[in-house]
Amino acid sequence: MTFKKILLIISGFICLILGGVGIILPLLPTTPLVLLAAICFSAANEKLNNWLSRSRLFGPYIENYRTGQGISKCRKIVSVVYLWIGLVTSMIVIQTTAIYIILSIVGIGVTIHILMIKTKKK
């Protein structure tokens, strides 16, 4: 195995872990990180690429991106709700005006982004 492939595999796992954390923490973008992991794995190792593409948790992200289907309405709603729960929780814990402003701007931007993504038809 070449150094480049090893580096791609390590990068893929780092992106995948960060994407997984992004499911819980709204400030980490899950979909772009999972897609980046898929790109790294597809260039480095077919088995890892197939494993990720068939993953129950991350497979739908990759498949919807590859086919251009978009995100289901339910997933959009859940994403926005979790986003705002995380942001409001952070605001309550930190209680700083600058954090309120920054997190509100981030929340509005991410909400707009999620709502602008194509809605997957059933």
Side-chain angles (χ1 to χ4, degrees):
M1 188 175 292
T2 66
F3 179 73
K4 179 181 175 184
K5 287 187 178 190
I6 292 170
L7 195 58
L8 284 169
I9 290 170
I10 292 170
S11 299
F13 276 113
I14 290 170
C15 290
L16 190 59
I17 290 167
L18 290 174
V21 172
I23 292 172
I24 300 165
L25 297 176
L27 296 178
L28 283 173
T30 300
T31 302
L33 289 167
V34 171
L35 293 175
L36 186 56
I39 291 168
C40 290
F41 289 161
S42 68
N45 187 300
E46 190 173 336
K47 286 183 182 181
L48 286 173
N49 183 47
N50 290 338
W51 166 77
L52 183 58
S53 295
R54 292 184 192 129
S55 163
R56 193 178 115 250
L57 185 60
F58 297 120
Y61 287 103
I62 297 165
E63 183 63 26
N64 291 338
Y65 179 78
R66 286 184 180 157
T67 61
Q69 294 178 40
I71 301 172
S72 71
K73 185 177 180 181
C74 178
R75 188 163 297 211
K76 283 185 177 187
I77 292 168
V78 169
S79 297
V80 171
V81 168
Y82 275 116
L83 168 72
W84 283 101
I85 287 172
L87 292 175
V88 169
T89 302
S90 297
M91 290 176 192
I92 291 169
V93 170
I94 297 173
Q95 295 186 359
T96 304
T97 304
I99 296 298
Y100 293 159
I101 294 168
I102 292 168
L103 293 181
S104 295
I105 292 169
V106 168
I108 291 167
V110 172
T111 300
I112 290 169
H113 173 72
I114 290 170
L115 296 177
M116 291 181 68
I117 296 171
K118 181 180 175 182
T119 303
K120 183 178 179 179
K121 296 181 179 160
K122 294 184 181 197

